[in-house]
Amino acid sequence: MAEALKGALVVGQSGGPSIVINASALGVIRTAFASEHITKVYGAYHGIDGVLDDKLMDMDEAGLIELDKFMYSPASALGSCRTKMPDPKDDDTKYRQVLEVFKKHNVRYFCYIGGNDSMDTCNKISKYMKSVGYDCRIMGVPKTIDNDLFGTDHCPGYGSSAKYIATSIMEVARDAAVYEKGAVTVFECMGRHAGWLTAAAALANVNGHCLDFIYLPERDFDMDKFISDVKSCYEKNGNCNIAVSEGVHYADGSFITEVAASATDGFGHVQLGGLAAYLAAEIKNRLGLKTRGIEFSLLQRCAAHCSSGRDVEEAYMSGRAAVESMLEGTTDKMVGLECVRYPHGGFDSHTVLFDLDKVANFEKKVPLEWINEEGNNVTDAFIEYALPLIQGDSPVRMRNGLPDYTDYNKVFAD
Amino acid sequence: MAEALKGALVVGQSGGPSIVINASALGVIRTAFASEHITKVYGAYHGIDGVLDDKLMDMDEAGLIELDKFMYSPASALGSCRTKMPDPKDDDTKYRQVLEVFKKHNVRYFCYIGGNDSMDTCNKISKYMKSVGYDCRIMGVPKTIDNDLFGTDHCPGYGSSAKYIATSIMEVARDAAVYEKGAVTVFECMGRHAGWLTAAAALANVNGHCLDFIYLPERDFDMDKFISDVKSCYEKNGNCNIAVSEGVHYADGSFITEVAASATDGFGHVQLGGLAAYLAAEIKNRLGLKTRGIEFSLLQRCAAHCSSGRDVEEAYMSGRAAVESMLEGTTDKMVGLECVRYPHGGFDSHTVLFDLDKVANFEKKVPLEWINEEGNNVTDAFIEYALPLIQGDSPVRMRNGLPDYTDYNKVFAD
C-alpha cells in the first residue's frame, strides 16, 4: 500500500454524453467524500477546459439530494468538452496551466470520464505530471455508447443505449406491421467506425422476431446486395425492418451519404436527411415500396428513462473503483470491466485496470466472426455477449409523471 | 334496461395505432367474455376489412396469458386498416357484405376502436343496420394520439404519446447543452391539423425549464418571426430547443415543407428529411448556429415502455364501458371521457357517451386561448389540462430485459 496522498480530487466528463456518465461521476464523488485523504472534491466545468480555465465546481455545494439524481440523470451534469491535448513536446502551455491549477487547489487526484480521446488526455497529463515531479494520481473511467474501448469487456453507457435501441425497434416494427400492406423501415444508429450500437438492434429479436437485417461499418456496404436483401425479405414477409450504422461505407471507404450528396445534385441537400432517410428513399425509388427512415439521433444516448439497471450499477462501480485504486497508490490506468457469462444467462462483472497507453486512441470493433457470412446480420455469439448488458430496470425517479433529472446549481470554487 | 340480445361480438381496430389501443381492445374482450349474452368474441382482422372479408379471429383461442399482454403492448394487435366506407346511398355493396358476415356469425355487438374516420364507419354501419332492421348494437371506442375527437375531454392514446414526447425532450435538451458552445434543436411532432401532441412538449418544462418554443398548426407560421425567436433565445441562453408540429403552415395555408420542396430545387429532395431537418438547416443557414432536427416519427405513437399508467387504465375503461353500454341496450354512440381537475393536481375521470353523428369527421383543435399571444408557446391552462394525463407508470412487463409484447397466434373462425 502506497503512502496516503492528501489533497483534493478533480473529476471531469469529456466527449459525447452517455446515459450513465453521471452515475460514474457519482461513484467517484461519493467515494471521494468518504475518504479521509481527499480534502475536497471538485467537478471540472466542461471537462479539461474547466481545469485549464480554473473553473472548478465545489461538489460539496451540490447537495446530497441533487447528487442522488446523478445516479439516473442523462447528459454530462458537470459539462463536457471535445478538447484534445497537444503533444507536450510540441507545446506544453496547456500542461503548465493544468499544473498551476492543480498546485493552486492542491489537486492530487484526477479522474477523467470519457472515451478514447479522453483516455489520451488522461495519459498525456499523467506522463507530464510524472515528468515534472508533481505527485498526483490520475485515472480514466470509461464511458462511451460506442463500446469501442480497448481491453474492457464493454463500456458503461453501451448497455443502456443498446436497451433503448432494441426496445424502440421492437415497438416501431410492431407499429409498422399493423396494415395489410406492409412497409420497409430503416433504423439508423450511431457508430462511425464501430458497429456495436447497430448490432444491438439484434436484441429486438430476443422476445420474438421483428428485425430482419443489420449492416455494420465493419463490413463493406453493397447497395445492390442491400436492395436485393430488402426485396426478397419483403416478398417473403410483406415487411422489412433494417438497422444500419451511420458509418456504413462502400468498398472504397466512402460513406454512403457522402456519395449520395455528391451524386444527387451537389447542392448538399442530402444533409437535410441522414442515412436512414437516404436509404429509405433508395428503396422506394428502386422497389416502389412504402418506406420510412428513423434516425435515433441523440435519443439513443440520453434515454435514461429506458436505461439498463446493470449498466447504471457498473458505471457507478467504475467510478468508485477509480478512486479506490488511486487511494491505494495506483495511477496512469483506466478502469475496465471483466465479465463472466455463465450458462443460462448468469453473469458477473468486476473492475480491472488497463494501462492508459494501450487504451488511448484505439478503437475496438465488432469481431468479424460475430457478423454473418452475408454481412447483413450478427450471429448468436453477439446476442450472448450483449444480452446480459441490458438487464435490470432504470433506477430513474419520477416527479409529476416525468423523470426527476438533476439541474443542479453549480457553485464554483474561489 | 333493454331486452338482452344474444349473439357474438366483433371488435376491430382502425387507423394509426396508439400505445394503448390494445388496452381498449382488452377492455372490450374481457367484458364480453364475462357476459352471458355474448356467445362468442371475434377480432376483426385489419379492422372493417376483416369483417368485409369474413376474416374474424376467435379471441378465445388467443389464450389468457397472451391477452394479458394486450394491456401494455403497442400497435394494433388485431391489425388495422384505413378503409373508408362509402355513403350507402351511393353504393351499399360493402354494407350488404357486413350484414351477411354479421348474420353468418350472429354478430349482435360491434365495437370499433379508432379516430374520426373510424367513428364515421361506425356511424354509417349503425345507420345501415337500423335501416335494414338488423338488430345489433354498435359502439365506438376512441383512440387517437392526435387527441382531436369531439366531446371527450381527451382521447386514450394521447397521454402516453405526450409523456414520451415530454420525457424525450427533457433528455435530449440536457444532452444538447453539455458543451460550452450550445446548439439549436428542433423537435418535430405528429399532428397535421391539431397541435395537441406538439403542445405536450411544454410538459418537458414541468420539472425544470428546457424547452423554449412551441409552434402549432392552430396559428400561422412566420419564418422570419421564427428565426428571430431563435436568435434572441440563443443570444440570451446559448441554447435553444423548439417543438414544431408537422402541420405548421404559412398564412396562405401551405405547409412549410411543401413550399421548401418547390422552392429549393424542384427535384423533391426535401422528402429526404422532414420538417425538423428543414427548419434546422434554415436556422443554420440564416444564423450560422449548430443545429439538429429530431423527428419523433413512429416512435411517439408506439413507445409503450414509457406509457402513462392513467392512459392505459382509461383506455381499458373505455373498452369495458362500450360493452357494458351495449349490454344495457345502447347503440350508435362513442364512449368518451369526462374529467374533473381538482386543485393541487387531483383528477377524476369517468366515461360518458357521445352521439356518433357528432363525433364522425370532426377535428377538435387546441383552443386558441391556450396559445400565447406571440404564437410561440402554450399557456399554463394547457399544462393544467395535460399534466394529469401523463401520470402513472407504464404497466409494461419485461422479459430478458426487454418488453414482453404480444405477438399472439391468430386463429380464425371458420
Side-chain angles (χ1 to χ4, degrees):
Chain A
M1 188 106 177
E3 192 195 349
L5 192 58
K6 217 161 177 110
L9 175 144
V10 168
V11 55
Q13 298 175 316
S14 172
S18 85
I19 293 172
V20 303
I21 190 169
N22 295 320
S24 290
L26 184 62
V28 170
I29 294 165
R30 277 205 190 137
T31 312
F33 277 165
S35 161
E36 56 181 325
H37 303 296
I38 296 174
T39 51
K40 195 85 195 164
V41 182
Y42 296 115
Y45 189 54
H46 295 297
I48 197 66
D49 288 356
V51 178
L52 292 166
D53 302 340
D54 194 9
K55 290 193 87 170
L56 301 182
M57 296 167 287
D58 184 339
M59 297 312 297
D60 268 322
E61 300 286 343
L64 293 181
I65 291 173
E66 212 52 43
L67 276 180
D68 273 353
K69 299 183 192 170
F70 275 44
M71 196 65 177
Y72 57 80
S73 294
S76 311
L78 308 175
S80 191
C81 68
R82 293 205 174 275
T83 306
K84 275 198 162 201
M85 293 291 274
D87 189 327
K89 280 178 216 138
D90 300 334
D91 181 4
D92 70 350
T93 320
K94 290 193 168 181
Y95 295 89
R96 284 187 282 114
Q97 273 174 268
V98 172
L99 178 61
E100 197 180 317
V101 172
F102 276 16
K103 280 183 175 167
K104 176 180 166 189
H105 299 280
N106 190 32
V107 174
R108 299 290 170 176
Y109 299 92
F110 178 61
C111 254
Y112 211 37
I113 312 170
N116 322 72
D117 288 344
S118 315
M119 295 308 128
D120 183 55
T121 297
C122 245
N123 189 32
K124 284 173 173 159
I125 292 176
S126 176
K127 301 288 184 289
Y128 177 82
M129 294 300 162
K130 197 166 280 178
S131 75
V132 296
Y134 182 79
D135 195 7
C136 75
R137 293 170 193 163
I138 291 181
M139 189 75 70
V141 178
K143 170 284 319 172
T144 163
I145 62 167
D146 291 329
N147 202 40
D148 59 355
L149 291 181
F150 170 87
T152 184
D153 178 90
H154 59 279
C155 300
Y158 175 63
S160 293
S161 289
K163 185 170 185 150
Y164 173 79
I165 287 171
T167 301
S168 297
I169 291 177
M170 286 176 72
E171 293 170 339
V172 171
R174 281 163 176 80
D175 185 295
V178 300
Y179 296 116
E180 200 145 11
K181 196 171 157 55
V184 180
T185 309
V186 182
F187 300 94
E188 177 182 345
C189 306
M190 285 180 171
R192 206 74 176 148
H193 305 295
W196 294 104
L197 272 182
T198 313
L203 299 169
N205 288 340
V206 168
N207 289 350
H209 180 85
C210 63
L211 187 83
D212 300 296
F213 300 115
I214 293 174
Y215 302 90
L216 307 181
E218 279 79 0
R219 287 277 288 262
D220 297 335
F221 186 83
D222 179 327
M223 187 64 87
D224 292 331
K225 171 69 167 70
F226 169 73
I227 295 290
S228 130
D229 285 348
V230 173
K231 186 167 182 282
S232 56
C233 172
Y234 188 89
E235 281 169 0
K236 196 175 150 213
N237 307 329
N239 263 294
C240 187
N241 293 295
I242 305 149
V244 290
S245 182
E246 60 171 332
V248 289
H249 54 78
Y250 294 113
D252 67 0
S254 56
F255 291 116
I256 311 307
T257 41
E258 274 175 8
V259 175
S262 58
T264 48
D265 59 15
F267 295 117
H269 286 129
V270 170
Q271 71 170 9
L272 287 181
L275 177 66
Y278 174 70
L279 289 177
E282 248 339 78
I283 295 163
K284 191 181 168 194
N285 293 340
R286 295 215 205 176
L287 303 176
L289 302 175
K290 186 181 149 194
T291 61
R292 194 183 286 261
I294 292 184
E295 190 184 343
F296 286 123
S297 188
L298 294 185
L299 296 162
Q300 70 199 288
R301 75 175 191 199
C302 60
H305 72 275
C306 186
S307 65
S308 147
R310 178 165 284 155
D311 188 27
V312 173
E313 282 165 29
E314 287 179 342
Y316 183 88
M317 185 165 89
S318 303
R320 189 180 59 200
V323 178
E324 285 172 349
S325 302
M326 289 193 291
L327 287 168
E328 288 166 6
T330 307
T331 187
D332 212 17
K333 303 275 183 186
M334 180 190 82
V335 174
L337 293 161
E338 201 170 72
C339 304
V340 191
R341 288 170 177 78
Y342 300 102
H344 310 298
F347 179 85
D348 253 334
S349 65
H350 62 271
T351 56
V352 284
L353 301 178
F354 294 98
D355 286 344
L356 280 173
D357 270 340
K358 287 191 183 150
V359 178
N361 303 311
F362 176 90
E363 277 183 324
K364 187 175 75 176
K365 303 195 172 177
V366 176
L368 288 177
E369 61 269 27
W370 289 2
I371 302 174
N372 70 352
E373 211 169 312
E374 285 204 72
N376 59 16
N377 222 321
V378 294
T379 67
D380 286 348
F382 172 81
I383 302 287
E384 283 160 34
Y385 164 80
L387 192 57
L389 313 182
I390 64 165
Q391 302 303 309
D393 292 341
S394 167
V396 68
R397 282 208 299 267
M398 306 291 278
R399 185 161 59 96
N400 297 314
L402 293 162
D404 190 16
Y405 294 137
T406 182
D407 288 309
Y408 91 100
N409 184 28
K410 296 168 178 64
V411 176
F412 291 92
D414 296 331
Chain B
M1 187 106 180
E3 192 195 348
L5 192 59
K6 214 157 179 116
L9 175 145
V10 168
V11 55
Q13 298 174 316
S14 173
S18 84
I19 293 171
V20 303
I21 189 168
N22 295 319
S24 290
L26 185 61
V28 170
I29 293 166
R30 278 205 189 137
T31 313
F33 277 165
S35 161
E36 55 181 325
H37 302 297
I38 296 175
T39 51
K40 196 85 195 164
V41 181
Y42 295 116
Y45 189 54
H46 294 298
I48 197 66
D49 289 355
V51 178
L52 292 166
D53 302 341
D54 194 10
K55 290 192 88 169
L56 300 181
M57 297 167 286
D58 184 340
M59 297 312 297
D60 267 323
E61 299 286 343
L64 294 182
I65 292 173
E66 212 51 43
L67 277 180
D68 273 353
K69 299 182 192 169
F70 275 45
M71 195 66 177
Y72 58 81
S73 294
S76 312
L78 308 176
S80 191
C81 69
R82 292 204 175 276
T83 305
K84 275 197 163 201
M85 294 290 275
D87 189 326
K89 280 178 216 139
D90 300 334
D91 181 4
D92 69 351
T93 319
K94 290 194 167 178
Y95 295 90
R96 284 187 282 115
Q97 274 175 269
V98 172
L99 179 61
E100 197 180 317
V101 173
F102 275 16
K103 279 182 175 168
K104 177 180 167 190
H105 298 281
N106 190 32
V107 174
R108 299 292 170 175
Y109 300 93
F110 179 61
C111 254
Y112 211 37
I113 311 170
N116 322 74
D117 288 345
S118 315
M119 294 308 128
D120 183 54
T121 297
C122 245
N123 190 32
K124 283 173 174 159
I125 292 176
S126 175
K127 301 287 185 289
Y128 178 83
M129 293 300 162
K130 198 168 280 178
S131 76
V132 296
Y134 182 79
D135 195 7
C136 76
R137 292 169 194 163
I138 290 181
M139 190 74 72
V141 178
K143 170 281 320 172
T144 163
I145 62 166
D146 291 329
N147 200 39
D148 59 355
L149 290 182
F150 170 87
T152 185
D153 178 90
H154 58 280
C155 300
Y158 175 63
S160 294
S161 289
K163 184 171 187 151
Y164 173 79
I165 287 171
T167 301
S168 298
I169 290 177
M170 286 176 72
E171 293 168 339
V172 171
R174 281 162 176 81
D175 186 294
V178 300
Y179 296 116
E180 201 145 9
K181 196 171 155 57
V184 180
T185 309
V186 182
F187 300 94
E188 176 182 344
C189 305
M190 285 181 172
R192 206 75 176 148
H193 306 293
W196 294 103
L197 273 181
T198 313
L203 299 170
N205 288 339
V206 168
N207 289 349
H209 180 86
C210 62
L211 187 82
D212 300 296
F213 300 115
I214 294 175
Y215 302 90
L216 308 181
E218 279 80 359
R219 288 278 288 263
D220 296 336
F221 185 83
D222 179 326
M223 186 65 86
D224 292 331
K225 170 71 167 67
F226 169 75
I227 295 290
S228 132
D229 285 348
V230 173
K231 187 167 181 282
S232 56
C233 173
Y234 188 88
E235 281 169 0
K236 193 175 150 214
N237 306 330
N239 263 294
C240 187
N241 293 296
I242 305 148
V244 289
S245 182
E246 60 171 331
V248 290
H249 53 78
Y250 295 113
D252 66 1
S254 56
F255 291 116
I256 312 306
T257 41
E258 275 175 7
V259 176
S262 57
T264 47
D265 58 16
F267 295 117
H269 285 129
V270 169
Q271 70 168 11
L272 287 182
L275 176 66
Y278 173 69
L279 289 178
E282 210 47 27
I283 295 163
K284 191 179 167 195
N285 294 340
R286 295 216 205 175
L287 302 176
L289 302 175
K290 187 180 150 196
T291 60
R292 194 182 286 261
I294 292 184
E295 190 184 342
F296 285 122
S297 188
L298 294 186
L299 297 161
Q300 70 198 289
R301 75 174 192 199
C302 60
H305 72 275
C306 186
S307 65
S308 148
R310 178 165 285 155
D311 188 26
V312 173
E313 281 165 29
E314 288 179 341
Y316 183 87
M317 186 165 89
S318 304
R320 190 180 57 201
V323 178
E324 284 172 349
S325 302
M326 289 194 290
L327 287 169
E328 288 167 6
T330 307
T331 187
D332 212 17
K333 302 274 184 187
M334 180 190 82
V335 174
L337 293 161
E338 203 170 70
C339 304
V340 191
R341 287 168 178 80
Y342 300 102
H344 310 299
F347 179 83
D348 253 334
S349 65
H350 62 272
T351 56
V352 284
L353 301 179
F354 294 98
D355 287 343
L356 280 174
D357 270 339
K358 288 191 183 150
V359 179
N361 303 312
F362 176 90
E363 278 183 322
K364 186 176 76 176
K365 304 196 172 176
V366 176
L368 288 177
E369 61 269 27
W370 288 2
I371 302 175
N372 70 352
E373 210 169 312
E374 286 204 72
N376 61 13
N377 221 322
V378 293
T379 66
D380 287 347
F382 173 81
I383 302 287
E384 283 161 34
Y385 164 80
L387 192 57
L389 313 183
I390 65 164
Q391 302 305 308
D393 292 340
S394 168
V396 67
R397 282 208 299 268
M398 306 292 278
R399 187 161 58 96
N400 296 315
L402 294 162
D404 190 16
Y405 294 137
T406 181
D407 288 309
Y408 92 100
N409 184 29
K410 295 168 179 64
V411 176
F412 291 92
D414 295 332

